[in-house]
Short mmCIF file of all heavy atoms in Angstrom, two decimals:
data_model
loop_
_atom_site.label_atom_id
_atom_site.label_comp_id
_atom_site.label_asym_id
_atom_site.label_seq_id
_atom_site.Cartn_x
_atom_site.Cartn_y
_atom_site.Cartn_z
N ARG D 151 23.66 37.45 -40.69
CA ARG D 151 23.75 38.57 -41.62
C ARG D 151 22.43 39.34 -41.72
O ARG D 151 22.17 39.88 -42.78
CB ARG D 151 24.20 38.10 -43.00
CG ARG D 151 25.70 37.54 -42.91
CD ARG D 151 26.17 37.21 -44.31
NE ARG D 151 27.51 36.68 -44.21
CZ ARG D 151 28.24 36.21 -45.28
NH1 ARG D 151 27.69 36.35 -46.50
NH2 ARG D 151 29.47 35.80 -45.17
N ARG D 152 21.60 39.29 -40.71
CA ARG D 152 20.35 40.04 -40.78
C ARG D 152 20.60 41.44 -40.34
O ARG D 152 19.77 42.32 -40.46
CB ARG D 152 19.30 39.37 -39.85
CG ARG D 152 18.90 37.96 -40.46
CD ARG D 152 17.99 37.27 -39.48
NE ARG D 152 16.75 38.00 -39.25
CZ ARG D 152 15.75 37.54 -38.45
NH1 ARG D 152 15.92 36.35 -37.80
NH2 ARG D 152 14.70 38.18 -38.27
N ILE D 153 21.76 41.72 -39.66
CA ILE D 153 22.21 43.05 -39.35
C ILE D 153 23.67 43.19 -39.66
O ILE D 153 24.36 42.19 -39.79
CB ILE D 153 22.00 43.46 -37.88
CG1 ILE D 153 22.85 42.51 -37.00
CG2 ILE D 153 20.53 43.33 -37.45
CD1 ILE D 153 22.90 42.93 -35.46
N HIS D 154 24.10 44.41 -39.91
CA HIS D 154 25.53 44.68 -40.16
C HIS D 154 26.33 44.82 -38.87
O HIS D 154 25.81 45.10 -37.83
CB HIS D 154 25.67 45.98 -41.07
CG HIS D 154 24.94 45.88 -42.38
ND1 HIS D 154 25.32 45.03 -43.37
CD2 HIS D 154 23.76 46.47 -42.81
CE1 HIS D 154 24.54 45.16 -44.39
NE2 HIS D 154 23.57 46.09 -44.09
N ALA D 155 27.58 44.66 -39.03
CA ALA D 155 28.48 44.73 -37.83
C ALA D 155 28.34 46.12 -37.09
O ALA D 155 28.47 46.22 -35.98
CB ALA D 155 29.92 44.44 -38.19
N ALA D 156 28.16 47.23 -37.97
CA ALA D 156 28.12 48.55 -37.42
C ALA D 156 26.87 48.72 -36.63
O ALA D 156 26.81 49.68 -35.86
CB ALA D 156 28.19 49.51 -38.56
N ASP D 157 25.83 47.84 -36.89
CA ASP D 157 24.62 48.00 -36.11
C ASP D 157 24.49 47.18 -34.89
O ASP D 157 23.49 47.20 -34.17
CB ASP D 157 23.44 47.66 -37.09
CG ASP D 157 23.40 48.49 -38.25
OD1 ASP D 157 23.81 49.60 -38.24
OD2 ASP D 157 22.94 47.97 -39.36
N PHE D 158 25.57 46.43 -34.58
CA PHE D 158 25.52 45.49 -33.44
C PHE D 158 25.23 46.23 -32.16
O PHE D 158 24.31 45.81 -31.45
CB PHE D 158 26.83 44.70 -33.39
CG PHE D 158 26.93 43.70 -32.23
CD1 PHE D 158 26.36 42.45 -32.32
CD2 PHE D 158 27.46 44.13 -31.00
CE1 PHE D 158 26.38 41.55 -31.25
CE2 PHE D 158 27.54 43.19 -29.91
CZ PHE D 158 26.92 41.98 -30.06
N TRP D 159 26.06 47.20 -31.82
CA TRP D 159 25.87 47.75 -30.53
C TRP D 159 24.62 48.55 -30.28
O TRP D 159 23.96 48.49 -29.21
CB TRP D 159 27.10 48.69 -30.18
CG TRP D 159 28.31 47.91 -29.89
CD1 TRP D 159 29.48 47.88 -30.66
CD2 TRP D 159 28.51 46.97 -28.83
NE1 TRP D 159 30.36 47.03 -30.12
CE2 TRP D 159 29.84 46.45 -28.96
CE3 TRP D 159 27.78 46.58 -27.74
CZ2 TRP D 159 30.43 45.47 -28.13
CZ3 TRP D 159 28.29 45.64 -26.82
CH2 TRP D 159 29.58 45.15 -27.04
N PRO D 160 24.14 49.35 -31.31
CA PRO D 160 22.79 49.97 -31.12
C PRO D 160 21.65 48.94 -30.91
O PRO D 160 20.82 49.05 -29.98
CB PRO D 160 22.59 50.69 -32.41
CG PRO D 160 23.98 51.05 -32.95
CD PRO D 160 24.75 49.85 -32.49
N VAL D 161 21.66 47.86 -31.68
CA VAL D 161 20.63 46.88 -31.49
C VAL D 161 20.79 46.09 -30.17
O VAL D 161 19.82 45.84 -29.52
CB VAL D 161 20.68 45.88 -32.69
CG1 VAL D 161 19.60 44.75 -32.49
CG2 VAL D 161 20.39 46.61 -34.02
N TRP D 162 22.07 45.80 -29.89
CA TRP D 162 22.36 45.06 -28.61
C TRP D 162 21.87 45.95 -27.40
O TRP D 162 21.23 45.41 -26.51
CB TRP D 162 23.82 44.84 -28.53
CG TRP D 162 24.25 44.07 -27.34
CD1 TRP D 162 24.27 42.66 -27.14
CD2 TRP D 162 24.52 44.54 -25.97
NE1 TRP D 162 24.65 42.32 -25.91
CE2 TRP D 162 24.86 43.41 -25.18
CE3 TRP D 162 24.65 45.85 -25.46
CZ2 TRP D 162 25.14 43.63 -23.77
CZ3 TRP D 162 24.97 46.05 -24.10
CH2 TRP D 162 25.21 44.86 -23.29
N SER D 163 22.13 47.21 -27.37
CA SER D 163 21.78 48.07 -26.24
C SER D 163 20.27 48.11 -26.13
O SER D 163 19.76 48.10 -24.99
CB SER D 163 22.41 49.42 -26.38
OG SER D 163 21.97 50.08 -27.53
N ALA D 164 19.55 48.24 -27.23
CA ALA D 164 18.11 48.35 -27.25
C ALA D 164 17.52 46.97 -26.77
O ALA D 164 16.60 46.96 -25.98
CB ALA D 164 17.56 48.69 -28.53
N TRP D 165 18.04 45.92 -27.21
CA TRP D 165 17.59 44.52 -26.83
C TRP D 165 17.84 44.34 -25.28
O TRP D 165 16.95 43.86 -24.57
CB TRP D 165 18.38 43.51 -27.66
CG TRP D 165 17.84 42.13 -27.55
CD1 TRP D 165 17.52 41.36 -26.44
CD2 TRP D 165 17.51 41.21 -28.67
NE1 TRP D 165 17.07 40.13 -26.73
CE2 TRP D 165 17.02 40.03 -28.17
CE3 TRP D 165 17.56 41.45 -30.06
CZ2 TRP D 165 16.65 38.93 -28.95
CZ3 TRP D 165 17.20 40.38 -30.87
CH2 TRP D 165 16.70 39.20 -30.35
N TRP D 166 19.04 44.70 -24.90
CA TRP D 166 19.42 44.49 -23.47
C TRP D 166 18.52 45.32 -22.49
O TRP D 166 18.08 44.75 -21.54
CB TRP D 166 20.87 44.83 -23.24
CG TRP D 166 21.32 44.72 -21.81
CD1 TRP D 166 21.34 43.67 -21.02
CD2 TRP D 166 21.89 45.81 -21.10
NE1 TRP D 166 21.90 43.98 -19.81
CE2 TRP D 166 22.15 45.35 -19.84
CE3 TRP D 166 22.14 47.16 -21.39
CZ2 TRP D 166 22.74 46.13 -18.80
CZ3 TRP D 166 22.64 48.00 -20.36
CH2 TRP D 166 22.95 47.46 -19.11
N THR D 167 18.37 46.56 -22.84
CA THR D 167 17.53 47.40 -21.95
C THR D 167 16.08 46.98 -21.99
O THR D 167 15.44 47.02 -20.92
CB THR D 167 17.60 48.92 -22.35
OG1 THR D 167 17.36 49.02 -23.76
CG2 THR D 167 19.11 49.45 -22.04
N GLY D 168 15.55 46.61 -23.12
CA GLY D 168 14.21 46.07 -23.14
C GLY D 168 14.00 44.83 -22.19
O GLY D 168 13.02 44.70 -21.50
N ASP D 169 14.95 43.88 -22.33
CA ASP D 169 14.92 42.72 -21.42
C ASP D 169 15.07 43.02 -19.96
O ASP D 169 14.35 42.47 -19.12
CB ASP D 169 15.95 41.67 -21.88
CG ASP D 169 15.62 40.98 -23.20
OD1 ASP D 169 14.53 41.28 -23.71
OD2 ASP D 169 16.41 40.14 -23.66
N ALA D 170 16.01 43.96 -19.71
CA ALA D 170 16.25 44.38 -18.28
C ALA D 170 15.03 44.99 -17.71
O ALA D 170 14.66 44.80 -16.64
CB ALA D 170 17.48 45.21 -18.25
N LEU D 171 14.41 45.85 -18.46
CA LEU D 171 13.22 46.56 -17.99
C LEU D 171 12.06 45.57 -17.80
O LEU D 171 11.23 45.83 -16.92
CB LEU D 171 12.78 47.70 -19.03
CG LEU D 171 13.58 49.00 -18.86
CD1 LEU D 171 13.14 49.97 -19.94
CD2 LEU D 171 13.28 49.59 -17.52
N GLY D 172 12.00 44.55 -18.58
CA GLY D 172 10.97 43.51 -18.34
C GLY D 172 11.18 42.91 -17.00
O GLY D 172 10.15 42.67 -16.26
N VAL D 173 12.38 42.70 -16.54
CA VAL D 173 12.64 42.19 -15.17
C VAL D 173 12.29 43.22 -14.10
O VAL D 173 11.58 43.00 -13.17
CB VAL D 173 14.05 41.72 -15.04
CG1 VAL D 173 14.46 41.43 -13.58
CG2 VAL D 173 14.34 40.50 -15.93
N LEU D 174 12.76 44.45 -14.36
CA LEU D 174 12.59 45.52 -13.37
C LEU D 174 11.11 45.92 -13.15
O LEU D 174 10.79 46.30 -12.04
CB LEU D 174 13.36 46.81 -13.76
CG LEU D 174 14.95 46.75 -13.73
CD1 LEU D 174 15.61 47.97 -14.22
CD2 LEU D 174 15.39 46.36 -12.35
N VAL D 175 10.35 45.84 -14.21
CA VAL D 175 8.97 46.34 -14.16
C VAL D 175 8.00 45.24 -13.90
O VAL D 175 7.02 45.41 -13.06
CB VAL D 175 8.60 47.07 -15.49
CG1 VAL D 175 7.17 47.49 -15.48
CG2 VAL D 175 9.49 48.35 -15.63
N VAL D 176 8.19 44.06 -14.48
CA VAL D 176 7.18 43.03 -14.43
C VAL D 176 7.42 42.07 -13.26
O VAL D 176 6.51 41.66 -12.61
CB VAL D 176 7.16 42.22 -15.77
CG1 VAL D 176 6.16 41.08 -15.71
CG2 VAL D 176 6.78 43.15 -16.89
#
Side-chain angles (χ1 to χ4, degrees):
R151 298 183 179 180
R152 295 173 62 181
I153 62 172
H154 300 291
D157 301 330
F158 177 86
W159 288 114
V161 177
W162 183 92
S163 62
W165 193 308
W166 175 62
T167 51
D169 285 0
L171 279 174
V173 172
L174 293 178
V175 174
V176 177

